[in-house]
Amino acid sequence: MKILVAEDDLRLLKNIAFMLKKDLYQVDTAKNGEEALDLALDKNYDLVILDWMMPEKDGIEVCSELRENGYGGGILMLTARDDSRDVILGLDNGADDYLIKPFKMEVLLARVRAILRRKNKPLEQVIEIQSYALHLDARTLYRDNQEIELTKNEFLFLEYLFINKGRTLTREQIYNHIWGYNEDVSNNALDALVKLVRKKIDDSDHPSIIQTVRGIGYKLRDSHVQ
């Protein structure tokens, strides 16, 4: 997934880009509205994150011009304005969502995931591997056509693995996806969660579909062969 971040606060721009890259997104940055518009019209971004108040062109102008030029990807507005009239203005000019400053990075990442899910709905909504089928919309997992009940965090863990099937995900990436950047989460929370998920979903006749990559994290096993 390719994301453009346009923000004239360079420290905030750097932080947002850093967090998105840690979540495996490809990220470009722009420091003003004119640069953002040029990049967004030239490249095929899945999502554009726009600060409202930028030099040369503000976020509303960029958003409106992108929609007028046929841009169909997601647009998330960042703004210090919390007046309902400003929110309506942003949405009416083509934004999919807005986030009021100051905000927590985990909230931004959640909004990004939500917009990308909506924008990519015509794509894969049921991910199948071995005898498992993960339904993203219904947030359910089936094994051999039998539903397995999952808690919120159990689903988030499996969703992240299924969406990134074939990739090894680090422990840090998984922690951030499930719990955000919550410092109150214990170091062994992920180990406990993996143990619970394996107990629920594994077939005793085969190795666990959740493969531990020592010293790194986890990935989905793509076959029953060890």
Side-chain angles (χ1 to χ4, degrees):
M1 292 288 186
K2 294 191 295 184
I3 298 177
L4 172 65
V5 184
E7 168 64 64
D8 64 330
D9 181 332
L10 299 186
R11 182 177 179 182
L12 180 57
L13 177 64
K14 183 178 179 180
N15 287 341
I16 292 173
F18 176 74
M19 292 301 183
L20 289 170
K21 287 176 182 177
K22 284 179 70 175
D23 263 18
L24 305 180
Y25 297 109
Q26 297 178 40
V27 182
D28 289 337
T29 60
K31 302 177 184 65
N32 61 66
E34 194 69 55
E35 183 184 8
L37 183 61
D38 289 343
L39 282 170
L41 292 177
D42 182 57
K43 298 185 179 182
N44 185 28
Y45 292 107
D46 298 286
L47 173 66
V48 176
I49 300 175
L50 294 171
D51 180 38
W52 186 302
M53 299 297 293
M54 289 187 292
E56 300 189 26
K57 283 183 182 289
D58 65 31
I60 290 293
E61 290 180 274
V62 176
C63 181
S64 179
E65 290 189 42
L66 284 176
R67 293 308 189 200
E68 288 173 4
N69 281 276
Y71 173 71
I75 297 178
L76 173 63
M77 295 290 300
L78 307 180
T79 177
R81 302 167 180 256
D82 59 359
D83 188 290
S84 60
R85 290 170 296 182
D86 293 321
V87 172
I88 292 169
L89 179 63
L91 296 174
D92 283 348
N93 275 275
D96 294 286
D97 203 351
Y98 66 94
L99 193 56
I100 295 173
K101 298 178 179 179
F103 52 80
K104 293 184 177 180
M105 282 296 170
E106 56 262 35
V107 176
L108 172 72
L109 294 173
R111 297 288 179 89
V112 166
R113 292 193 297 269
I115 293 174
L116 291 174
R117 280 198 300 269
R118 293 197 297 267
K119 289 295 177 181
N120 288 299
K121 253 188 173 180
L123 301 177
E124 192 174 33
Q125 282 300 304
V126 179
I127 305 175
E128 297 182 352
I129 185 167
Q130 295 184 26
S131 57
Y132 298 88
L134 188 76
H135 294 245
L136 299 182
D137 271 352
R139 302 179 75 81
T140 53
L141 176 72
Y142 292 84
R143 186 185 69 205
D144 295 324
N145 296 318
Q146 297 293 316
E147 182 177 353
I148 299 172
E149 292 188 8
L150 299 171
T151 66
K152 174 188 171 183
N153 285 348
E154 289 168 351
F155 179 84
L156 287 173
F157 172 64
L158 288 173
E159 174 190 46
Y160 202 31
L161 289 181
F162 271 72
I163 288 174
N164 291 283
K165 57 185 178 181
R167 288 182 175 180
T168 297
L169 299 174
T170 68
R171 292 178 62 87
E172 184 179 13
Q173 287 170 337
I174 297 170
Y175 263 103
N176 293 339
H177 180 76
I178 298 172
W179 292 285
Y181 299 90
N182 186 350
E183 296 179 357
D184 294 332
V185 178
S186 65
N187 290 330
N188 65 351
L190 179 56
D191 301 303
L193 180 64
V194 172
K195 184 176 180 181
L196 289 171
V197 172
R198 281 175 167 158
K199 185 176 181 181
K200 279 190 176 183
I201 75 170
D202 281 353
D203 179 349
S204 59
D205 294 330
H206 300 286
S208 174
I209 191 175
I210 302 168
Q211 182 177 349
T212 301
V213 182
R214 289 196 182 280
I216 302 176
Y218 297 94
K219 64 181 290 187
L220 282 185
R221 192 184 304 274
D222 57 9
S223 72
H224 289 314
V225 179
Q226 294 195 44

